[in-house]
Amino acid sequence: MSATEELEQIAVKYATEAIRLDKQGSRGLAIVKYQKSIEILFKLCSLYPNSSQNHVYMEHVESYRKRIKEIQNKVNHQEPVESAPSGSEAKFEQLVLTEKPDVRWEDIANLIEAKRAIEESIIYPVRRSDLFPLGWHRGILFFGPPGCGKTLLAAAIATEINASFFCVDAQSIMSKWLGESEKNVAHLFEEARQVSSQGKPAIIFIDEIDSLVGIRSQEVGGEVRTRNQFLKEMDGVVDKKKNPQIYVIGATNKPWALDDPFRRRFQKRIFVPLPEADARLEMLRIFSRKLGKSLALSEDVDFDSLVKMTQGHSGSDILNNFQGAQAIVVREFFENGNPNDEQAKPRPITMKDFNDVLRVRRPSVDQSLIVNYLKWSEQYQAA
């Protein structure tokens, strides 16, 4: 696979995830993914300025920018993406949204241990803080393979406790301008403190946190200052003498890349593994319920067989398999049916459709990595 194809696949992955989150109502998460897709597409244009595909890439960029602007208008953010001022300050303002994602516990299959740890650390203290005179954990790290529900867990927490949800990543915090990155970190935590002071919980969710506070062989001054600012802010949140309703949740696919001081500040370190058989079965049922009225499953679809066939697949992989079977049916409908008739419906999705998809799709997670996750979990997990 060429470098161009790899970058295209990454951009498509982010855009697909953004659209899914957008439909769920998780606007902050959707904006982050839209922005990541935009950045990859810009990188493609800059690396291959003479490519005939550049006009296609830019059409997608404008489409995603337009959607970001629409989302921001809905959450009363005044600065549109196109009029961003210099540096990352405006970008940071655009990507940090305080909202209530539309993700609930029942949308997340299984993960019983992770949910229990979250209830003990966040949900119970929010509902009855008087039962925790010694304080409670406010730094939580989700680690594990990509596509297994770490982001959904964070979003579901915000829904369960009706919290303001601050969603950021390293790209939205770091700036090329001197002093701006540490200001972004300070601003993020100040916004969360203001929310907490009004009696409402605040969740700061940092995706791919290893890229922000991971181990570096060489660091420039701006990175050192930003990391130090983050440590300072984290100390203020996890201080046992104070009990602010502020929670810092980090998600990473590379827990071994985290620097020791940051690992210690995440008192809860929760492994989010690949879904077991029961979890895969629950996911299949969840996705089938979301097909709506226009699509249906044939009676020959055997979930037990699909569970066996998807051994080693992540939750994201299983969703992609479902979408692949859906695409087969929809393509046939557009080619042979009457898509202009709103009353017309495609045929049901059959077991053959799933078999055809799984014949050409493989798990996205390298099984050799699971050994590394288990080893790190044995050494550092704190659920």
Side-chain angles (χ1 to χ4, degrees), residues 93-122:
E93 292 288 348
Q94 292 156 5
L95 295 186
V96 178
L97 297 185
T98 56
E99 61 172 80
K100 180 181 177 183
D102 187 22
V103 181
R104 302 184 178 278
W105 264 173
E106 54 266 29
D107 296 325
I108 303 174
N110 211 287
L111 296 180
I112 302 301
E113 292 184 6
K115 290 178 180 178
R116 183 180 298 116
I118 290 166
E119 288 176 337
E120 294 171 355
S121 300
I122 299 181

Side-chain angles (χ1 to χ4, degrees), residues 49-313:
N50 298 322
S51 172
S52 60
Q53 287 291 102
N54 283 355
H55 74 282
V56 177
Y57 299 150
M58 291 309 299
E59 286 179 1
H60 286 292
V61 165
E62 291 305 315
S63 174
Y64 300 154
R65 279 182 163 180
K66 180 180 178 181
R67 182 55 189 158
I68 289 173
K69 182 178 179 181
E70 291 172 352
I71 293 173
Q72 289 169 341
N73 289 337
K74 290 183 179 180
V75 292
N76 297 321
H77 276 246
Q78 301 300 318
E79 292 290 335
V81 174
E82 289 79 359
S83 62
S86 63
S88 65
E89 184 177 2
K91 177 183 175 183
F92 178 74
E93 292 288 348
Q94 292 156 5
L95 295 186
V96 178
L97 297 185
T98 56
E99 61 172 80
K100 180 181 177 183
D102 187 22
V103 181
R104 302 184 178 278
W105 264 173
E106 54 266 29
D107 296 325
I108 303 174
N110 211 287
L111 296 180
I112 302 301
E113 292 184 6
K115 290 178 180 178
R116 183 180 298 116
I118 290 166
E119 288 176 337
E120 294 171 355
S121 300
I122 299 181
I123 296 176
Y124 295 162
V126 166
R127 294 177 179 174
R128 288 292 303 274
S129 60
D130 60 301
L131 299 179
F132 296 83
L134 300 180
W136 56 87
H137 300 131
R138 288 180 291 277
I140 298 176
L141 178 71
F142 295 139
F143 68 94
C148 291
K150 296 184 290 294
T151 302
L152 286 179
L153 275 171
I157 295 169
T159 301
E160 288 293 316
I161 63 174
N162 192 27
S164 289
F165 191 60
F166 295 78
C167 179
V168 296
D169 63 2
Q171 293 178 351
S172 62
I173 289 178
M174 297 304 294
S175 170
K176 64 182 179 180
W177 303 106
L178 182 63
E180 286 298 328
S181 299
E182 52 264 45
K183 286 182 182 178
N184 286 341
V185 173
H187 175 70
L188 170 64
F189 280 84
E190 178 58 31
E191 289 288 321
R193 283 192 291 270
Q194 289 184 12
V195 169
S196 178
S197 68
Q198 297 170 4
K200 186 174 184 179
I203 290 178
I204 298 174
F205 175 68
I206 304 175
D207 197 12
E208 299 177 4
I209 195 168
D210 54 280
S211 61
L212 178 64
V213 297
I215 300 171
R216 302 284 191 276
S217 58
Q218 292 182 337
E219 290 184 318
V220 297
E223 291 177 338
V224 174
R225 290 192 299 271
T226 302
R227 288 155 60 83
N228 289 340
Q229 182 68 39
F230 197 92
L231 280 172
K232 175 183 175 182
E233 298 291 353
M234 282 287 290
D235 285 339
V237 169
V238 303
D239 188 348
K240 296 179 181 178
K241 298 178 182 178
K242 303 176 183 177
N243 288 320
Q245 290 287 0
I246 301 174
Y247 302 89
V248 181
I249 300 177
T252 178
N253 303 327
K254 303 173 184 177
W256 44 82
L258 290 177
D259 207 356
D260 289 348
F262 290 98
R263 186 184 67 242
R264 291 196 299 271
R265 282 163 175 79
F266 289 103
Q267 305 104 324
K268 285 281 189 178
R269 298 180 288 276
I270 302 172
F271 182 34
V272 183
L274 288 173
E276 297 289 345
D278 289 346
R280 297 198 299 277
L281 178 59
E282 189 176 347
M283 287 178 186
L284 291 169
R285 289 170 175 166
I286 290 173
F287 297 147
S288 66
R289 290 197 297 267
K290 293 185 177 181
L291 286 176
K293 298 180 179 180
S294 296
L295 286 173
L297 290 180
S298 170
E299 293 183 357
D300 73 337
V301 174
D302 184 354
F303 280 180
D304 290 334
S305 295
L306 288 175
V307 166
K308 294 177 182 178
M309 295 165 67
T310 54
Q311 172 69 34
H313 288 235

Side-chain angles (χ1 to χ4, degrees), residues 1-7 48:
M1 183 183 296
S2 68
T4 304
E5 291 172 331
E6 284 191 29
L7 288 173
Y48 308 100

